[in-house]
Each structure stands twice: as structure tokens, then as C-alpha cells.
Amino acid sequence: MSADLKILAENRVNLFLAEIAAWLHDMGKCSDKFIIGSSRDKPSDLKYYDIKKDYLSNFDESNNEIKSLFEKRYVDFSKVNFINEKVTLNDLIVKGLPRTNKEKEIDKFPWLVRTLGRCHGAAHIEKETTDKVYKQSKDCTMKSNPFGFEKKIDNLTLKLTNLPYSEMENRSFFVKSLVESFNYALGDTRRPTNEVTLTDWSGIVAALYKSTLAGALLLGEKIDPVELKWRFLSIRFNSEQIWGNAQSVPVLTTKKELLTEGLDRVKILLEETCPLGNEIYRDENNSLFVVPDIPDLLDKIYEKDKSLKQLIANEFGFEGEVVVTTEIDTETWWGQKPDRNDNSQENEIPPIAKILSNEKPHSTADANSIEKFWKDSFNRGICTISWLRPQGPTSKGFNRKASDCWVERVTGRAREWYNNLNTTIWIDEVADTNNRICLLTGKLDLLEWLKPDGYISTLKVAEAQNEVVTKNPSFARMHRVWKTTKEFWEDVESELKGKVGPVDSRLKITGKFKPENANIRLTRCNAYKAMLDRIGFSIFYGENNEYLIIDNLKELANKFGFNPEKCADKSPTEYLKEYLSNKKVNIYDSEGQNRLNPIGNLIILNIEDENTPYVPAIPIMAEPSVFMAIVPADKALEISRLIKIKYEKEMGKVRNRLPLSLGMVFAKSRTPLAALMDAGRKMLRKSNKERSVKEDKWILKENPIENDKLITLKFNNGIKWEVLSKMGDDITPDIWYPFFYVDGDLQDSSDTFIHSFKNSEGWLVHINELKEGDSVKILPSKFDFEFLDSASRRFEICYNENGNRKESLKALRPYLLEELDSFDGLWDICSKNLSNTQMNNIITLIERKRDEWAVEEDKTIFETFVRDVLYNANWNNGRKPDTTDLDKLEDAAKSGKLRDILELHMNILKLRAKEVSGGI
């Protein structure tokens, strides 16, 4: 008879100690000795297996400091006590290896040790069998990402010795410290298997081991290690439904934080309260845990007749307003085949991609919970934040057309911001001097990298006995892939702040509020609209009669008549201080019951600088696949270029298999946030159910050109790629990552192909072995943009089956990401040689004729007209650009690309060129 979940809580400490032993069983790899000992130029007298012994005293009974700490909790610290079996942590760490499950070794080791050895083997699919190894130098050992971009590692020993061993009783803190240290270390230093970090590797082993022991407790039996299998527990939800319709950034961030906090509570429940396993994946719609192979696990009872499924729902929170889909996957898997033979076909890969590719669930509310909210409340109106609860019941909620619960939640988020002003949650502060913002979206098409037969297997390891060995899609490798892409977006989030730049200060007002009637009171930590001289701006009421202006101060100064030429001795901020001083401004509650009439006026008694610098940008999402942030419109292109450059540097070797999609949704700052977010999601949404990006075939215009560390590829469509040809040491040729699927049945010839190989999908040809005329398969990276002059404009963002915009005038969108450079170059040509008026006249003439004439039937006349228009334009100083530039402009004008370039730069970004006299 199986036990209930209480048995896990009763054995919590032993489960934690066993998990930590699994984390540490390869800890010697986080040391400089390991780097030296694994190098091609290692000293002859250095032995790797001496390394662990340097640190085992941290787990020995002789360590009095740590022993006394655990004795206070009545724990035999030095041993894991589990189902009538005691094993020291030292023995687990040293002996928990796969060889303990060999037939001749089984009787020599306890079940706990053999089980750890089996978990080690199950996770270790990335140890491909090959005699060819590519050891690195001890003085220049590099860590690679999964896509071939390397960085040097060193000083590992310090990271290991500085681990807080005396804090092992605090599982969360100690594991976090392990992750931070092991992120720098490698499971294997040899190329090209130097991409899996010790965090990826040891973390997977720990997850498998912990869930195995939990399963043994629940089933009441020790399962033979060679029979072990695991499952995924998935928690799935639809983030778009949860926070996608938020009306303001404070509401959006509040809902996102509630979602994150709920998932974190579930993580603590499953990892610590009822230690079943560990979370191994999380994105904007999913959280996955490794759990034991128990099909009815969700029905297990913990306390008060509550099942695990109910516990998860309770910990997730939202009081029934959001219901997550919690499932135990029906598919079991064993990772590497237990007998560890060389037949990789018998390995069972965790089905992460299958779960992630499932249709997003409807995160609907629980009807019973919602019914309780409305008991005796049917005349109160609906909450305009949750759209589920009734308004009120107090004036705090009624005044905001919301429930008291949600007003308090959102106000709490605003209060957090007010107590730490080094960020912003206000779109008006993000707007540029033209009062425009941009929702920047990014997506990495990751799913094919998480499939058992996906792109990981296109990466080469070595040639062995006339056969090519490719990488196995191991659990650790999949973990490394999604962690790398998540870190990529997190880095972008950090780096874009440098591109946007800080604002040095805000303006703080001390004033006296006079309400229209005695029943009106301002809500603390809430935003209001101020109106003076028919000009509106946003203010935030903090406390003690203090208010902050939460607007772009330069733009606001311009609205109030600031002229830099006439006010050369004043900054916009100083001008505003003088202009607003002692003024009386009307106050409106733009989210209240009476939005059109003022609720009172504010007499400004004092206005001064609030000197906390902040970056006017609002990060929204940085998940493995998806990125979103609201930035000033005039910084959007610069940030897009930053992302493009970073992508080409860190993922450029596999860019044909890992496409990046960028979207820029421009809008005025007062555009409804829900409309802005909906437009951004439309740019991210798949146009093809099987794959987000449709495969193209590009033809090589000429043979690859190698120059120093780069190989240049030129294609017939005008695109040029520069791909790194060396590894991170700038010396070792990269023979492992930059491969291309070439169309057609190529003849295998050792004279032609040295590094290329064939798999079930076709020929993978190394970049050095490509030839002029080769047709290569590309998953193209693209970018798109749109300006929401009205909220309804977002409905024009829709794509056909080929992934192009349906509207005829925007049919060229999305553009290839590489064309972002030509957008900049062609605008540079135009703006240096033509005035805005002339550019507008030229494009109007061309597009009018395109519309009037049947251009698709006969392009000759239209193309002649375009050439005449450009050649006869009134160029600055009467000098046309050189022939090459003029030809580029002509091609762009014929295709319609020039129309999009001028719309983006002149109409959306409001950029101007030097005006010249005359016309076209």
C-alpha cells in the first residue's frame, strides 16, 4: 500500500541531504585542478580523483563546527538515513557513479549509492563514444554556450571553497549558492562537449535522485536502479489571459508578480514542503518538474484530505481567479539506457518539447470561487481590473471602479516603486520627446532545439571509424539551451538600459489639495492627471502632500513653451520649476467614476528636484523564447541593432537553425496598454502551426571567403553573413557548429567533404565546404514594425501562410533581420541629400503611380518612372549621390521598401533632414 505525502515531510532533512550529495558528487570539476588535469598540457603527476578529497572534510563528523550545527536539529549530519539504510555523505559523493550498477559490483554498494550512480548515468547521455577528443590548454580553457560561442573560465577553486557549507541546513540558500558557483564550471572541458555547465549536469542528477528517493518512500519499496524511470509534472497556464489585457503598467506588473510568486510558492511546495522533485524548466506559460514514476501522484493526499493537485492550486493563489492546468505526463523515460551501451537509439529523451508544443490551456476562473465573490453583490458593478470580482465594497474600490482587493494589490506595487525610485512603471516617463513609445518584442524559435530528433543532433562531435558522431539531445543539454536563451534576453534587458540612458531626476511637488466636495480624497500611492493651461500631465500622489511628476520632463517643458534658443541659460527642468511654481492645477482621476470632471485642484507650494536617477524603460518579459520591453520610440532602432549584433555574435554559428524575430510596435504614450500588448503578441504569434518560421532556400552567390576569424557568405538575395570561423581562443578552427543543410543529393567524396556529413534530413555541409550555387536551407530571422495611430490599427497586424503581412501596402513586412542595416544605410543616403519635404514628395509620386498603374502586369514603365523621379530630384547642392547609392535607392523605391523606410524614420520616429530650397 502506498503512503501519503506526509512521509515526504517526515523525511525532508534526509531528502535534502541526499539531494545536496547529488549536487556535490562531481564538485571536483569546480576547481582549477580539474581544468589543469583535463588539459592537453597537464603535468604528468597530477591525478583528477585526488580533487574531491580536498573538500570531503566539509561533510565529515570531524568537522565540529558543522556537526554541532546539525546536532541542534537532532540530525546525524554525516549520514543519509533512508529506509533502513545509512550512508555517509562522503560515500555518496565519492562512490555514487554508474559503475556501481555493473553486475559484478552490485553487492558491494548500498542501494542509495547505486541509485545515485544510476541517476548519474541517466543524465549523462552527452558523453558520446569517440576516440577523438579535443583537449584544451590549461591556461586557456573555454566554456561554450550550446551554439558555439565561448568565454574563458578560471579561478574555479575559490568558487568551490567559498561555498557556505555551514549553511547546508538552509536548502534554498545553499542550492542557490551552488548554482552561482557551478555556472562557471564545466561537466567536460573537451571540445565540443564543453557547453554543459556543472549546474546543468549536477542539477539534473540531483533532480533525478531526489525524485527517485521520494518515489521509494511513497511506494514503500526500493526500486532496482536499472528499472528506474521518471515523469514530468507540468503546470501550464496562459499568461496572455492572466495579464495580457491589463489597462496600465502597474496592473500588468502586479499580475505578473502574482503569477511569478504563485509559481515560486508551488516550487517551494514541490521541492521543500513535499520534496518530490525539482523544477527543471519555466517559461511564460509552463513550469515543469521531474517527479517519480507514479501515475496517480496528483491524487496523493497530504493533510486534511487535500490532494497534491489541490495543494498546488492553493499555493498558486489568485483565489480561484486563475486555474492552472496541472498534469502528470503519460510518457515515462529513463534517459540513458541503463546498460549504458553504445546504441543511442535506445536512450529515452525527456519529452520537454512535446509538452511545450501543446496548445496553451485556457486559464479560466473557478466558477465556485467567483460565485462566492458575488454573493449578495449583484448590484455593485464589475471590477475593471480583474473583470471577475464585484466592485468595492468600500469607497477605495468604488472610486477606482475596481474591487478593494485589486486596488490594494495594485497600490501595493505602486508603493514599492515609490519607496525605490530607481526604476519606472509609468509609460508617460518612457515616452520620447515626441510623446511616443515602442513595445519591443523578440522571439527565439527554440522548440526544435528541445526535441529528441531536433537541432542538437545537427551538432558534430567527431568522426569515429568512418562515421560521424553527433551530439545526443541529453537532458543536461536541453537545460543548457533554454538557460542560455533566457540569459540572452536577461542580458538584453540589462544592456538596453545603457542604450536608453538614465534620467537624472524627477520633479517633486509639495502642494495643498482642495477637493470639489468633502467626500473626495486622494488615494495614496496612486496616479492622477493634472491639467494646466489645457495641457495635461501625470502626477503621482505619494504621502504627506508630496507629489511626483511622472512624465517626460523635456516633452512637458516643450508643451509649456520651452524654447532652447530663448532659454539658453535654463534646462527644461529649471524652466518647468519656474513655470509651475505657485500655480493651481486641476486634478482628474482618469481611472475613477467621474473621469471627465476635475475632482479638485492642487496648489503648488514648492517644486524641487527628486535626485534619484532612473532609466525610462519598462522590462516586461525575458523568458527562454520571448522578450518584451517598453522603450522610448527614438531608442527602438538602436536597441534592435544591439539585439541583432549580440545575436550574431553569440548565436551566429547556428543562425540558420535558430531564427530571431524582432517586432517594434510604436504608439503614442496614451495608447491603451491592452491594445499595445495585443499588437506585440500578434507579431510574436505563429503563422504556421508546425513551426514559427517558414524555411527558405538561399543560393550561394560565390564561394565562402575566409578572412582572419570570419567567413563571409554572400547569397543571391543580396544578404551577406559573417560567421565566426574560430573558437573562443581565436586559434582553434570551428569544425563542430557552422553547418548548413544543403538541398539536393550530394555525392560523398573525401576530396570534397572533410567535415560534412549526412543524416536522416539530408546533407549537413560545413561552412568551409560550401560552394557557389549551393542551395542552403535557412530559417530566416526577421523584423517587423507598426505604428498604432489608433487602437484598432493592431488588427492590421496579420500574416498569410507564408508569414508575410496580408495588407498589400505592407506585404514586404516582415523584413529579413539583415535588412535592418540597409534601412539605416538608405535613410542615411536620403537624409543627407534630400529634405523631408522632397523625400515626402518623391515617395508620394512613386506610390501614387504604383497604385494607379497595373505595375504587376508591366513593370517596365513604372521602373523607368521611378528612375526619372530619383534622377530629377532636387538633390542638395545639385549633386546626386554616387551611382551605387542611387542604384540602392532605385531598387528600394521599385520594391516599396523605400516607402517603409521613410514611414519608419519620418512619420513614426519624426526624424528630420536638413531642409533645402526647391522641389522635385
Side-chain angles (χ1 to χ4, degrees), residues 487-593:
E487 288 168 3
F488 174 87
W489 291 123
E490 289 172 343
D491 289 346
V492 167
E493 187 176 289
S494 176
E495 292 170 17
L496 72 80
K497 295 176 182 178
K499 292 294 183 182
V500 174
V503 174
D504 294 332
S505 64
R506 295 178 172 93
L507 286 180
K508 180 170 69 175
I509 292 171
T510 303
K512 184 176 182 181
F513 176 70
K514 290 187 176 182
E516 286 291 310
N517 61 65
N519 295 324
I520 295 177
R521 292 183 180 179
L522 296 182
T523 302
R524 289 183 178 181
C525 296
N526 200 58
Y528 294 91
K529 180 181 178 181
M531 185 73 73
L532 176 65
D533 300 340
R534 304 182 70 178
I535 295 171
F537 57 98
S538 298
I539 64 169
F540 179 85
Y541 175 48
E543 54 189 7
N544 300 326
N545 296 320
E546 288 186 355
Y547 305 79
L548 292 174
I549 296 179
I550 48 173
D551 237 302
N552 183 314
L553 298 183
K554 290 182 180 179
E555 182 211 357
L556 187 58
N558 292 338
K559 288 181 179 179
F560 282 123
F562 175 71
N563 187 325
E565 295 179 0
K566 295 181 180 179
C567 307
D569 59 333
K570 295 178 185 175
S571 68
T573 303
E574 292 299 321
Y575 177 86
L576 274 177
K577 283 196 232 178
E578 291 186 12
Y579 190 90
L580 296 175
S581 184
N582 299 317
K583 291 289 198 308
K584 181 168 70 174
V585 300
N586 289 328
I587 302 298
Y588 294 78
D589 188 353
S590 57
E591 297 179 2
Q593 295 280 2

Side-chain angles (χ1 to χ4, degrees), residues 1-12 15 211 213-219 233 269-277 291-292 294 296-312 328:
M1 180 178 177
S2 62
D4 61 28
L5 297 173
K6 288 182 182 178
I7 196 170
L8 301 181
E10 293 166 359
N11 286 272
R12 183 180 295 130
L15 286 169
S211 61
L213 300 191
L217 287 170
L218 290 171
L219 296 173
L233 186 157
L269 169 70
L270 298 179
E271 292 188 358
E272 298 184 10
T273 308
C274 297
L276 277 165
V291 294
I294 302 177
D296 62 345
L297 185 61
L298 289 175
D299 298 324
K300 296 287 183 184
I301 302 300
Y302 182 60
E303 61 181 8
K304 297 180 181 179
D305 295 328
K306 287 185 178 179
S307 68
L308 178 60
K309 190 169 186 176
Q310 291 172 315
L311 285 175
I312 290 171
I328 297 291

Side-chain angles (χ1 to χ4, degrees), residues 146-147 445-460 470-473 477-478 481 654-659 691 693 695 736-737 739 741 757 759 761 764 777-779:
F147 316 116
D445 201 6
L446 202 58
L447 197 59
E448 292 293 325
W449 288 86
L450 302 178
K451 291 183 177 180
D453 56 350
Y455 287 135
I456 287 178
S457 61
T458 66
L459 303 176
K460 185 177 175 181
T470 60
K471 289 189 176 182
N472 294 318
R477 280 200 174 110
M478 291 181 180
V481 166
V654 299
R655 63 198 290 186
N656 56 318
R657 289 158 282 169
L658 181 61
R691 179 178 282 165
V693 179
E695 186 178 82
W736 303 286
Y737 292 95
F739 284 84
Y741 277 114
F757 62 97
N759 66 11
E761 298 295 321
L764 278 159
K777 298 177 182 179
I778 304 290
L779 292 177

Side-chain angles (χ1 to χ4, degrees), residues 579-852:
Y579 190 90
L580 296 175
S581 184
N582 299 317
K583 291 289 198 308
K584 181 168 70 174
V585 300
N586 289 328
I587 302 298
Y588 294 78
D589 188 353
S590 57
E591 297 179 2
Q593 295 280 2
N594 189 357
R595 306 182 184 194
L596 300 179
N597 299 315
I599 60 173
N601 58 69
L602 176 68
I603 301 173
I604 299 176
L605 303 176
N606 184 52
I607 183 166
E608 61 184 348
D609 292 326
E610 199 298 313
N611 291 311
T612 304
Y614 69 97
V615 175
I618 302 174
I620 295 175
M621 187 186 300
E623 299 296 344
S625 291
V626 179
F627 173 80
M628 283 187 176
I630 300 174
V631 299
D634 60 2
K635 298 295 183 180
L637 280 177
E638 191 173 355
I639 296 169
S640 296
R641 285 192 290 270
L642 177 151
I643 296 172
K644 174 179 176 289
I645 292 169
K646 182 178 178 67
Y647 163 74
E648 291 172 345
K649 178 182 179 183
E650 298 180 13
M651 301 171 181
K653 294 179 178 181
V654 299
R655 63 198 290 186
N656 56 318
R657 289 158 282 169
L658 181 61
L660 168 65
S661 299
L662 291 181
M664 293 172 277
V665 182
F666 297 93
K668 296 178 181 178
S669 65
R670 299 302 169 95
T671 300
L673 179 64
L676 188 71
M677 296 297 295
D678 188 39
R681 288 194 299 270
K682 286 176 182 290
M683 286 192 176
L684 292 172
R685 197 164 291 150
K686 293 182 179 181
S687 58
N688 183 302
K689 289 185 179 180
E690 295 299 321
R691 179 178 282 165
S692 300
V693 179
K694 186 175 180 180
E695 186 178 82
D696 283 351
K697 293 178 181 177
W698 295 3
I699 297 175
L700 224 61
K701 185 178 181 180
E702 57 186 62
N703 288 338
I705 302 169
E706 186 165 8
N707 181 18
D708 193 19
K709 297 180 293 184
L710 295 173
I711 292 180
T712 301
L713 299 180
K714 294 182 179 180
F715 299 97
N716 279 355
N717 59 3
I719 298 302
K720 181 177 75 172
W721 283 3
E722 290 186 336
V723 181
L724 288 171
S725 61
K726 299 289 195 297
M727 300 307 290
D729 58 5
D730 293 339
I731 298 172
T732 305
D734 185 351
I735 60 173
W736 303 286
Y737 292 95
F739 284 84
F740 291 76
Y741 277 114
V742 175
D743 202 26
D745 186 18
L746 307 182
Q747 295 298 317
D748 186 8
S749 169
S750 58
D751 295 333
T752 305
F753 296 143
I754 298 174
H755 304 301
S756 305
F757 62 97
K758 190 176 184 180
N759 66 11
S760 60
E761 298 295 321
W763 274 98
L764 278 159
V765 178
H766 189 268
I767 191 170
N768 274 330
E769 297 171 356
L770 291 171
K771 302 293 183 184
E772 177 184 347
D774 280 347
S775 176
V776 297
K777 298 177 182 179
I778 304 290
L779 292 177
S781 298
K782 296 191 175 184
F783 76 96
D784 198 357
F785 66 93
E786 187 59 76
F787 176 62
L788 301 186
D789 53 351
S790 66
S792 62
R793 184 71 66 187
R794 71 187 189 276
F795 298 117
E796 295 180 8
I797 304 175
C798 52
Y799 302 86
N800 60 28
E801 61 183 12
N802 293 320
N804 296 323
R805 296 280 287 272
K806 288 184 177 180
E807 187 185 354
S808 59
L809 286 177
K810 298 171 182 176
L812 293 178
R813 306 182 199 174
Y815 288 91
L816 293 172
L817 184 63
E818 292 80 5
E819 293 184 86
L820 192 59
D821 296 332
S822 68
F823 263 57
D824 296 335
L826 289 169
W827 167 250
D828 192 52
I829 294 169
C830 289
S831 61
K832 287 182 177 179
N833 295 282
L834 294 165
S835 70
N836 280 49
T837 301
Q838 290 175 72
M839 284 187 276
N840 187 60
N841 289 342
I842 287 171
I843 206 65
T844 300
L845 272 174
I846 292 173
E847 294 307 317
R848 184 183 299 156
K849 294 304 179 186
R850 189 196 305 275
D851 187 49
E852 292 174 355

